[in-house]
Amino acid sequence: LSDSETFLESYNFLYEFVEQNGPFDGIYGFSQGGLFVRALVKGKELGFPHITHMPSFMILASPRMPKKYPFVEVIGQDYPIPALYLFDDNDTL
């Protein structure tokens, strides 16, 4: 992600997909997609559009957490649904 505008564009794409094709039992995010999944379930707290039907769980594989966005502290906190994190020895937090 190069800037907040790019992030919001990507977030809105994912939000619209989930709203138009859901509800989903769970949601999966790999690498940078993990950032978007976490943002999606925290959308209301972040002041972003928030999904109508919250999934029951999320799975995050090697999720990235860029430090340059001001909302990172909110995304990294408690979630309204259970989360399974999958990491490798070479992944960094």
Side-chain angles (χ1 to χ4, degrees):
L1 300 175
S2 59
D3 57 22
S4 295
E5 191 173 284
T6 302
F7 175 87
L8 290 174
E9 183 179 322
S10 298
Y11 176 91
N12 286 329
F13 177 84
L14 178 60
Y15 164 78
E16 289 176 16
F17 180 86
V18 170
E19 284 296 296
Q20 293 173 7
N21 297 284
F24 296 100
D25 288 335
I27 190 165
Y28 174 87
F30 173 75
S31 190
Q32 196 170 24
L35 170 67
F36 290 102
V37 167
R38 290 180 286 185
L40 190 67
V41 300
K42 300 283 274 193
K44 188 173 188 176
E45 290 179 51
L46 294 169
F48 297 161
H50 53 282
I51 52 179
T52 307
H53 302 286
M54 186 68 65
S56 299
F57 63 91
M58 60 182 171
I59 299 173
L60 306 167
S62 302
R64 300 301 233 176
M65 183 60 82
K67 295 176 176 37
K68 66 181 180 177
Y69 296 108
F71 49 79
V72 167
E73 289 179 14
V74 175
I75 292 175
Q77 296 175 1
D78 298 327
Y79 299 101
I81 59 176
L84 172 65
Y85 286 82
L86 305 172
F87 287 99
D88 182 74
D89 292 339
N90 296 321
D91 290 331
T92 58
L93 297 176

